[in-house]
Amino acid sequence: MAIYFDVKTKTFYLESKNLTYAFCVDQAGFLNHLYFGKRIAREELGFSVHSVDRGHGAYPPDFGRDHSLSIFLNECPTYGRSDYRESMLAFDFDGVRVGDLVYDGYTVYETKPLLSGMPSVRGGETLAVSLKDVLHGARVVLYYTVFEELPVILRHAEVVNESDEAFMLDRAYSFCLDFPDKNWETVTLHGAHLRERFMERTSLSHGVFSVDSKRGVSSAQMNPFMAIVRKNTDEETGEAYGFNLVYSGDFTFKAQIEQDDSLRVLGGLNDYDFSWLLKAGEKFVTPEAVMVYSENGLGDMSRSFHDLYRTYLINPRFVNASRPIVINNWEATYMNFDTQKLCEIVDSVRGTGIDTFVLDDGWFGARNTDKAGLGDWVVNEKKVDLKKVIDYTHKNGLKFGLWFEPEMVNKDSELYRAHPDWAIHADGLEPCLGRDQLVLDLTRDEVRQYVIDSVSAILNAYEIDYVKWDMNRPLTDNYSAWLKKQGKEFHHRYVLGLYQLCEALVNGFPSVFFEGCASGGCRFDPAMLYYFPQIWTSDDTDAYMRTFIQYGTSLCYPLSAHSCHVSVCPNHQCGRVTPFASRGHVAHLGATGYELDTAKMTQEELQEVKKQVEEYKAMEALVLHGDLYRLNDPAKENLFAEMLVSKDKTNAHLTVFRPFAVPNGPAIRVYPRGLKDDATYYIPELDLTRTGATLMRVGLLVCLNWEDFASATYRFIEK
Ligand code: GLA
């Protein structure tokens, strides 16, 4: 049992092997947060509650002058009753915006009830604590899930309208977590298309630090991830709390330091353009927040996220299975291909170990440029004989994958001509374009049904093993006429509609492997990972840029979720030329594949591909199940080095990438991590046998003295 309630002190303790989370019910029925961190004894914690009469403050009538809610650590703060910090929930009861949510019992579930309408992490013993605003008939149920073996707490909330009147929810975050001191910094993942998830560290000052997305997607500009870390926290040491939202739309995370130097962290659905009408008897469910604690730096935090997502989030059918090693035709041909060209690509990879051919954009409707065809999921038979390509692929022993962009429509399409109103728009306004396309209004049943039917028709008619689900523009013009005055529900309803599509198509075709994509990594989040075991990490395939992108992405997402391809040079995104071997080494730190014209490669080059695929296969188990150690941060050093270590520590793989050659430069010494001190390891590349302790403390001298963007790999095999 991991959840305890001490009746005398009215304290809840959530415990896992290395973690305690504690809060109590105070004398007026508010939930007072007590502790979240390394496992401690189950003792009375009331002594830590700070009570003081602060000047120019206020307090609820049942409290004394030294009991203002504004200085309590609060599990579920609301607005207007003396807590002046950011609130977790905000209500509007027909104009009245204040109320008291007080304790009204709890339930413990052996396994977490799944969230309705939204993906979430599976399993874990779960506490549901009920709060009730008696005056207005609002019930809030706070859910806390704990896993015995992982330092993780999951949180989400349900708001239920138990009155006879409708009320509005103006804010519905997933969690609030208060810390007693302010000595923290944030770590966030900012970026842009082609530069996704760059790690950034920010000092906090008094006031509110906030990150968000308003783009209708979880976004490349800011990932739904935030960590708070001690100033001295690094990869290996210091405390870190990581927060990640299982959600694919507009989100926000906030960190606020107030007058008493405490820190409040909150996160959930972005309330920037949000409100929700909750009618009598209805329930609103917030997305799930994942909270990971590490006392040993960002490295341990990441490994806990990876273990959690691999064990409890990603589709169990695929998570541990060998991933397809694809040859994708996008950078080889773009939309300019025919049946013969595609068969030539399939021919060329025979014998290389590549096992899946993916036909990307351009096979349907009038899709010969990106200005036309989206929405028309009908094979363009004038251009390609799809059945022939699929049969040819299968005959050659490869699986076949196909690209879709189910959420979109071009104005120049049969779909738009038939149903112009199906694109998201506000009446009287021409909607904004993105890549010459519009977004389908997934809040509408008939629109979702059309997408399900038309995509299913292709998946039923052809033998398709793999689908790349793309999404190439953010949302604008957020409105749907049927919502009338409830327009602020649009963005969340769009995301719920998207999940319904995913449920129908991913569950409807359970043997098809779905890869996620949004112009590369513009929608890379845990909710997408629930449906798609891997996501195209970035349209940027340049090996050097990928070291930054994959480094940041690995902060919370396991390497098996990063789809990474070797592409041609000069690179199509930035013109950089990097060695073929380095491109392979960097792409092997994820679900690897190829995206270039293999039909134009020489036999020697194809032999190189074969060698790379063999190398990848030899380390695939580490990519799928291993522990990641980030050794060198490319943003801080002229070096990127990552190590993957098997769970039993009997073998490991080290990748070193040195961006710029430095004539007569310093020696490059890399310190392996994660090995067993007293085990002896053989490194074939160096013909060297030493103990783990020696290797980790003395370090390896890496010879990369010539040429920019050089790389090397080393295997560690326990003797
Ligand atoms: C996006 C994807 C690419 C490719 C193109 C096709 O940019 O990220 O990989 O599929 O769309 O239009």
Side-chain angles (χ1 to χ4, degrees):
M1 213 174 75
I3 294 167
Y4 301 86
F5 181 60
D6 184 304
V7 181
K8 212 165 100 222
T9 58
K10 290 200 180 155
T11 303
F12 292 98
Y13 299 89
L14 292 94
E15 296 169 350
S16 68
K17 199 163 81 190
N18 295 316
L19 173 128
T20 298
Y21 188 109
F23 60 96
C24 67
V25 184
D26 72 16
Q27 71 268 36
F30 291 97
L31 297 186
N32 196 174
H33 179 75
L34 295 169
Y35 177 76
F36 177 30
K38 187 182 163 77
R39 174 89 183 244
I40 52 173
R42 205 177 308 139
E43 293 179 287
E44 195 273 325
L45 295 171
F47 70 92
S48 68
V49 176
H50 181 57
S51 310
V52 68
D53 180 5
R54 280 198 192 278
H56 210 84
Y59 45 90
D62 296 345
F63 283 32
R65 287 169 64 145
D66 60 354
H67 273 65
S68 169
L69 287 181
S70 71
I71 58 165
F72 279 176
L73 308 186
N74 202 333
E75 286 293 311
C76 182
T78 53
Y79 169 74
R81 296 288 284 170
S82 84
D83 187 338
Y84 296 98
R85 293 163 289 183
E86 289 285 327
S87 60
M88 178 174 147
L89 303 169
F91 297 91
D92 186 332
F93 304 107
D94 200 20
V96 177
R97 304 179 58 77
V98 294
D100 277 340
L101 277 174
V102 294
Y103 179 70
D104 191 36
Y106 74 96
T107 312
V108 174
Y109 300 91
E110 235 171 77
T111 300
K112 190 188 74 179
L114 289 178
L115 275 67
S116 81
M118 259 177 297
S120 58
V121 177
R122 298 178 302 271
E125 193 176 325
T126 299
L127 168 69
V129 179
S130 215
L131 305 172
K132 177 137 193 195
D133 181 339
V134 180
L135 190 61
H136 303 105
R139 180 176 297 281
V140 172
V141 187
L142 303 176
Y143 287 87
Y144 300 80
T145 299
V146 63
F147 298 87
E148 169 56 27
E149 76 283 12
L150 290 170
V152 171
I153 299 283
L154 307 176
R155 281 192 61 178
H156 77 277
E158 278 176 11
V159 182
V160 190
N161 184 348
E162 294 183 346
S163 76
D164 300 330
E165 304 289 324
F167 61 73
M168 299 293 282
L169 258 177
D170 288 335
R171 173 179 286 186
Y173 288 169
S174 301
F175 74 98
C176 169
L177 185 63
D178 285 340
F179 294 84
D181 75 86
K182 69 171 174 55
N183 302 316
W184 300 96
E185 294 180 343
T186 58
V187 177
T188 48
L189 296 172
H190 76 100
H193 175 230
L194 305 178
R195 280 190 291 108
E196 295 89 345
R197 292 171 298 284
F198 276 49
M199 182 170 141
E200 186 163 51
R201 208 155 155 154
T202 311
S203 305
L204 291 170
S205 52
H206 288 89
V208 182
F209 170 83
S210 153
V211 293
D212 77 353
S213 167
K214 301 184 186 78
R215 295 169 182 262
V217 285
S218 44
S219 93
Q221 286 68 20
M222 195 59 74
N223 195 263
F225 166 84
M226 181 163 89
I228 61 156
V229 297
R230 290 294 183 191
K231 292 182 199 305
N232 63 350
T233 296
D234 57 22
E235 273 295 301
E236 300 295 328
T237 57
E239 286 193 300
Y241 292 82
F243 305 92
N244 202 192
L245 201 66
V246 189
Y247 192 61
S248 312
D250 296 353
F251 71 91
T252 189
F253 280 109
K254 292 194 158 107
Q256 178 179 28
I257 297 178
E258 245 273 358
Q259 61 171 350
D260 60 350
D261 285 358
S262 63
L263 169 68
R264 169 164 291 179
V265 179
L266 325 90
L269 277 179
N270 199 343
D271 52 329
Y272 175 79
D273 183 32
F274 168 84
S275 68
W276 196 273
L277 181 75
L278 206 61
K279 299 199 188 111
E282 284 183 350
K283 178 165 89 178
F284 183 87
V285 183
T286 74
E288 184 164 74
V290 179
M291 315 198 298
V292 170
Y293 170 70
S294 162
E295 66 167 322
N296 297 313
L298 291 167
D300 253 9
M301 177 200 77
S302 297
R303 287 183 286 278
S304 297
F305 271 116
H306 298 176
D307 285 341
L308 179 80
Y309 291 165
R310 289 184 298 206
T311 315
Y312 297 105
L313 179 76
I314 301 172
N315 188 341
R317 177 190 282 264
F318 296 114
V319 68
N320 290 316
S322 270
R323 296 302 168 78
I325 300 183
V326 309
I327 172 70
N328 176 305
N329 75 310
W330 179 242
E331 286 199 13
T333 64
Y334 294 101
M335 292 182 207
N336 186 17
F337 56 79
D338 56 21
T339 307
Q340 191 190 336
K341 177 67 200 173
L342 300 178
C343 291
E344 278 168 21
I345 294 178
V346 173
D347 266 339
S348 64
V349 301
R350 205 182 297 130
T352 57
I354 288 176
D355 58 24
T356 305
F357 170 61
V358 177
L359 172 53
D360 211 283
D361 195 355
W363 57 268
F364 53 90
R367 187 76 170 166
N368 292 313
T369 73
D370 58 16
K371 293 188 185 335
L374 284 176
D376 298 340
W377 301 113
V378 176
V379 180
N380 179 351
E381 282 171 0
K382 281 199 221 118
K383 180 174 182 179
V384 64
D385 183 339
L386 188 62
K387 180 155 180 353
K388 190 164 171 194
V389 176
I390 295 176
D391 288 348
Y392 196 74
T393 305
H394 285 151
K395 208 171 84 209
N396 276 280
L398 272 72
K399 293 191 165 161
F400 181 80
L402 196 59
W403 181 96
F404 288 90
E405 198 178 351
E407 298 155 71
M408 297 292 160
V409 63
N410 281 115
K411 282 184 143 186
D412 185 359
S413 68
E414 297 305 322
L415 179 65
Y416 188 80
R417 282 184 277 277
H419 298 286
D421 63 311
W422 282 11
I424 297 174
H425 70 285
D427 283 346
L429 259 188
E430 268 293 302
C432 299
L433 292 160
R435 203 194 184 195
D436 272 304
Q437 62 198 55
L438 300 173
V439 188
L440 288 171
D441 181 354
L442 298 187
T443 71
R444 291 170 62 175
D445 295 345
E446 65 278 31
V447 178
R448 286 196 306 277
Q449 199 53 53
Y450 165 79
V451 176
I452 293 167
D453 292 345
S454 56
V455 173
S456 300
I458 296 285
L459 297 182
N460 281 322
Y462 297 90
E463 274 181 69
I464 291 163
D465 310 292
Y466 171 119
V467 163
K468 178 175 171 188
W469 181 313
D470 210 341
M471 198 282 183
N472 283 319
R473 58 155 292 182
L475 272 56
T476 55
D477 301 278
N478 292 343
Y479 187 65
S480 190
W482 74 273
L483 285 170
K484 301 204 175 83
K485 291 204 165 148
Q486 290 160 248
K488 285 183 166 188
E489 296 179 9
F490 182 84
H491 81 72
H492 185 49
R493 286 192 183 274
Y494 178 88
V495 178
L496 295 178
L498 167 67
Y499 295 148
Q500 285 185 38
L501 270 195
C502 292
E503 288 287 327
L505 290 168
V506 175
N507 295 345
F509 296 89
S511 59
V512 175
F513 182 94
F514 283 78
E515 170 163 320
C517 178
S519 301
C522 297
R523 192 168 63 186
F524 202 126
D525 60 66
M528 286 291 97
L529 278 185
Y530 175 89
Y531 296 111
F532 311 141
Q534 63 190 46
I535 299 174
W536 180 223
T537 313
S538 176
D539 272 350
D540 191 341
T541 51
D542 168 53
Y544 176 52
M545 289 302 285
R546 275 294 187 121
T547 61
F548 296 87
I549 294 168
Q550 293 175 207
Y551 187 97
T553 306
S554 75
L555 267 196
C556 52
Y557 307 110
L559 296 201
S560 60
H562 308 193
S563 175
C564 307
H565 293 175
V566 174
S567 66
V568 77
C569 277
N571 178 268
H572 286 195
Q573 290 76 41
C574 63
R576 199 178 337 265
V577 175
T578 55
F580 192 68
S582 305
R583 280 176 263 157
H585 289 156
V586 173
H588 289 176
L589 295 168
T592 204
Y594 290 81
E595 182 149 348
L596 38 69
D597 194 347
T598 42
K600 288 197 184 133
M601 289 175 106
T602 63
Q603 276 313 312
E604 291 72 52
E605 288 168 332
L606 288 166
Q607 281 308 309
E608 276 302 305
V609 172
K610 181 168 188 264
K611 196 168 132 248
Q612 284 188 347
V613 173
E614 280 163 6
E615 280 168 15
Y616 177 72
K617 279 286 174 193
M619 65 181 287
E620 186 185 33
L622 292 171
V623 174
L624 292 176
H625 326 288
D627 281 332
L628 171 72
Y629 292 83
R630 289 177 295 256
L631 308 184
N632 297 82
D633 178 352
K636 292 196 188 132
E637 294 174 76
N638 183 25
L639 196 62
F640 164 81
E642 286 192 350
M643 180 128 176
L644 285 165
V645 183
S646 65
K647 286 279 175 199
D648 62 4
K649 297 186 183 291
T650 57
N651 70 95
H653 180 101
L654 167 64
T655 300
V656 183
F657 177 93
R658 199 278 329 274
F660 302 106
V662 181
N664 198 13
I668 304 169
R669 193 179 292 265
V670 171
Y671 294 88
R673 308 284 311 172
L675 301 173
K676 272 187 285 189
D677 269 344
D678 52 0
T680 303
Y681 295 91
Y682 175 59
I683 305 175
E685 290 75 10
L686 302 172
D687 193 20
L688 180 76
T689 304
R690 292 290 185 278
T691 59
T694 299
L695 293 169
M696 290 192 289
R697 279 163 192 76
V698 176
L700 288 184
L701 278 172
V702 176
C703 290
L704 294 172
N705 295 328
W706 187 249
E707 180 177 49
D708 286 346
F709 315 113
S711 64
T713 59
Y714 303 88
R715 287 163 293 160
F716 298 69
I717 302 155
E718 190 181 349
K719 296 294 278 181

